[in-house]
Amino acid sequence: MRKAPTILHLDMDAFYASAEQASKPSLRGKAVVVGGLGPRGVVATASYEARVFGVHSAMPMAQARRLAPNAAYLVPRFGFYKAISEQVMGLLRELSPLVEPLSLDEAFVDLEAGGAAWDEGSARLAGARLRADIRAVTGLTGSVGLAASKMLAKIASEQAKPDGLVVIEPGTERALLGPMSVRTLPGVGPATGDHLRRAGIHTVEEIVEAGEDELVRLLGKAHGHGLYAMALARDERAVVAERETKSVSVEDTYDVDIHDRVRVGLEVQRLADRCVRRLRGAGLSGRTIVLKVRRYDFSTLTRSETLRGPTDDPAVVREAALRLLEGVDSTGGVRLLGVGVSGLADFTQEDLFAQAAGEAHHDHAVEEVADDVPVEGREPAVERRWVAGHDVRHAEYGHGWVQGSGVGRVTVRFETPESPPGRVRTFPVDDPALEVAEPLPLVERKGVPGSQGSTSSGPAILPKERSGSGGGGARSRP
């Protein structure tokens, strides 16, 4: 018996950039790039208007600026995006208890587990209603894929982008997958893709033609068997409602390499304190302290120390991180530092004096080469206050957002989500009438489903269905 397409995959469209366009009337319909703005920044998200120029996520920001010099370049507002994400995830949990978030803007839902769908028609209707609810609650659009498995549902949502709904009907899976690139399948990254290409395997159908034995010979037993099954559209992975948090970490990438060893130590202590604040905010503690150091040549050192018991004491984490730093050669400069805690628990070991004194187990250092991905990179003092894209309020002119700052001045565009594009004004950076502000509510909710908490989002945009909405009124399950 063929399974119904009741696994839903939601992917919000160009999430960070769309949220920024929604909150800033002057940016709607224009190229917007969100990410780190320093020399080593990377693109977090690009609007569809910016993608026309070739800009995409994970691209170095310097390259993005060359491709789209007239785009708006903004620093991420993660708190703002998280608030929107919580609204969206709330709507998903109204559909089913089995919701598996993958990131702020992406999740799987088992519709059948919540009684929200049981066949193709009811699944299509649930997907269309979800998209309408997301638009009503947040003002943003999301693309929905529906299929009988997680792999196929994700492929369907990619086909639905932007702002669409695609259902992969039972019995059509093999025909759909056949001509697709091997990179479409989960677990096939650049290295595996190149390995298959060298063996003359470029498409999913060619994987099937090669046979399971050949896949095992090429990729090993576990990977070969798994990849062959997926090429046959077999994916038995269940939607997992709760993913256990395995670690809490923070890291910063620096615009200029740090050579001063004392400065490096101070940065490690600061990161340790930030990490502990996140740890405590999640009600957790941990036994293993991890230090990450990316050096001037992009090589990355990771060192860890396992304590006798879990802790959330900032002094203990600081001291452990500094001990790890002693064994790291930072000659030549440091471009990234990170501190993390793993081995998490929901309790704290009280007696950690011995740990703070150094009774710990040291793991071997791990050397690797990685791309430079800045995380919340630090800005100069003025820029940290007047961050491009962030909200401000002026005593006379009201709410606005920072277009840029420098040379002792800050430029602000005064507009709100409901206003027409606003006027730009410039002030001294120390103008006492100008202050940092919280994002404004972007959708006025009046009994809209899932409207708990503060509102954040953008303009209502009518959706376009790729395969119909299922039509008609509500259906009763037989």
Side-chain angles (χ1 to χ4, degrees), residues 248-252 254 263-281 284 288-292 307 311-325 337-341 378:
V248 174
S249 62
V250 297
E251 60 184 45
D252 276 351
Y254 304 95
R263 166 90 186 280
V264 173
L266 291 173
E267 290 296 313
V268 166
Q269 294 182 71
R270 181 182 63 82
L271 289 166
D273 288 344
R274 274 176 55 193
C275 183
V276 169
R277 286 197 295 272
R278 288 192 180 183
L279 196 68
R280 288 181 168 180
L284 298 169
T288 301
I289 314 304
V290 181
L291 176 70
K292 178 179 177 181
L307 307 174
T311 183
D312 65 353
D313 187 328
V316 172
V317 176
R318 278 197 304 268
E319 291 178 28
L322 289 172
R323 285 196 298 274
L324 294 170
L325 180 63
L337 290 168
V339 174
V341 178
R378 295 176 52 179

Side-chain angles (χ1 to χ4, degrees), residues 166-249:
V166 165
V167 179
I168 297 179
E169 299 176 5
T172 67
E173 298 93 344
R174 288 282 303 279
L176 175 74
L177 285 176
M180 292 185 173
S181 165
V182 295
R183 291 290 304 275
T184 303
L185 301 180
V188 181
T192 301
D194 286 344
H195 197 49
L196 292 170
R197 179 180 53 79
R198 288 193 294 270
I201 299 173
H202 302 85
T203 67
V204 175
E205 185 57 37
E206 288 172 345
I207 290 178
V208 177
E209 291 171 356
E212 190 167 14
D213 290 343
E214 178 66 6
L215 265 290
V216 169
R217 187 187 69 80
L218 288 171
L219 305 175
K221 188 173 182 180
H223 199 182
H225 285 312
L227 192 59
Y228 185 73
M230 288 189 174
L232 293 174
R234 298 173 187 163
D235 178 17
E236 300 301 324
R237 294 175 300 161
V239 176
V240 181
E242 296 297 332
R243 287 178 171 266
E244 182 181 357
T245 302
K246 296 183 178 180
S247 65
V248 174
S249 62

Side-chain angles (χ1 to χ4, degrees), residues 8-15 48 103 105-107 134 141-145 154 157-158 161-164:
L8 180 149
H9 181 261
L10 169 71
D11 198 348
M12 299 294 288
D13 299 322
F15 183 46
Y48 287 101
S103 61
D105 60 340
E106 185 180 4
I134 288 172
T141 62
S143 295
V144 168
K154 185 171 176 62
S157 70
E158 286 297 317
K161 282 186 166 294
D163 187 23

Side-chain angles (χ1 to χ4, degrees), residues 106-446:
E106 185 180 4
F108 286 110
V109 184
D110 187 332
L111 296 176
E112 190 171 19
W118 51 93
D119 60 11
E120 181 187 339
S122 58
R124 192 186 296 272
L125 184 59
R129 286 177 170 170
L130 172 65
R131 294 180 57 245
D133 284 346
I134 288 172
R135 189 171 65 255
V137 170
T138 72
L140 301 181
T141 62
S143 295
V144 168
L146 290 156
S149 69
K150 291 168 72 171
M151 176 187 75
L152 293 167
K154 185 171 176 62
I155 290 171
S157 70
E158 286 297 317
Q159 291 187 323
K161 282 186 166 294
D163 187 23
L165 183 151
V166 165
V167 179
I168 297 179
E169 299 176 5
T172 67
E173 298 93 344
R174 288 282 303 279
L176 175 74
L177 285 176
M180 292 185 173
S181 165
V182 295
R183 291 290 304 275
T184 303
L185 301 180
V188 181
T192 301
D194 286 344
H195 197 49
L196 292 170
R197 179 180 53 79
R198 288 193 294 270
I201 299 173
H202 302 85
T203 67
V204 175
E205 185 57 37
E206 288 172 345
I207 290 178
V208 177
E209 291 171 356
E212 190 167 14
D213 290 343
E214 178 66 6
L215 265 290
V216 169
R217 187 187 69 80
L218 288 171
L219 305 175
K221 188 173 182 180
H223 199 182
H225 285 312
L227 192 59
Y228 185 73
M230 288 189 174
L232 293 174
R234 298 173 187 163
D235 178 17
E236 300 301 324
R237 294 175 300 161
V239 176
V240 181
E242 296 297 332
R243 287 178 171 266
E244 182 181 357
T245 302
K246 296 183 178 180
S247 65
V248 174
S249 62
V250 297
E251 60 184 45
D252 276 351
T253 296
Y254 304 95
D255 291 344
V256 179
D257 290 348
I258 303 175
H259 294 82
D260 184 351
R261 186 75 177 182
V262 174
R263 166 90 186 280
V264 173
L266 291 173
E267 290 296 313
V268 166
Q269 294 182 71
R270 181 182 63 82
L271 289 166
D273 288 344
R274 274 176 55 193
C275 183
V276 169
R277 286 197 295 272
R278 288 192 180 183
L279 196 68
R280 288 181 168 180
L284 298 169
S285 60
R287 295 183 65 229
T288 301
I289 314 304
V290 181
L291 176 70
K292 178 179 177 181
V293 181
R294 182 165 297 150
R295 298 183 289 193
Y296 70 99
D297 59 357
F298 288 91
S299 63
T300 301
L301 279 172
T302 303
R303 297 190 185 274
S304 64
E305 174 179 306
T306 300
L307 307 174
R308 293 170 56 195
T311 183
D312 65 353
D313 187 328
V316 172
V317 176
R318 278 197 304 268
E319 291 178 28
L322 289 172
R323 285 196 298 274
L324 294 170
L325 180 63
E326 291 173 3
V328 174
D329 179 11
S330 60
T331 305
V334 170
R335 64 186 294 120
L336 176 146
L337 290 168
V339 174
V341 178
S342 60
L344 302 181
D346 57 3
F347 66 94
T348 302
Q349 179 73 40
E350 296 296 336
D351 184 10
L352 291 173
F353 293 110
Q355 295 179 12
E359 293 183 17
H361 168 70
H362 291 261
D363 292 335
H364 294 292
V366 178
E367 297 267 6
E368 62 181 19
V369 177
D371 294 330
D372 180 34
V373 182
V375 176
E376 299 182 43
R378 295 176 52 179
E379 304 277 354
V382 170
E383 293 298 328
R384 278 203 305 269
R385 185 183 177 195
W386 307 124
V387 182
H390 285 219
D391 297 84
V392 293
R393 177 169 294 278
H394 191 275
E396 180 179 355
Y397 300 110
H399 191 93
W401 57 277
V402 176
Q403 282 205 164
S405 65
V407 201
R409 305 189 74 77
V410 55
T411 300
V412 177
R413 184 180 289 275
F414 290 97
E415 59 186 3
T416 69
E418 303 299 328
S419 74
R423 183 172 177 179
V424 174
R425 298 180 183 273
T426 301
F427 308 91
V429 294
D430 57 356
D431 188 329
L434 192 65
E435 61 182 5
V436 174
E438 292 296 319
L440 291 176
L442 303 181
V443 173
E444 294 296 332
R445 290 161 301 167
K446 302 175 182 178

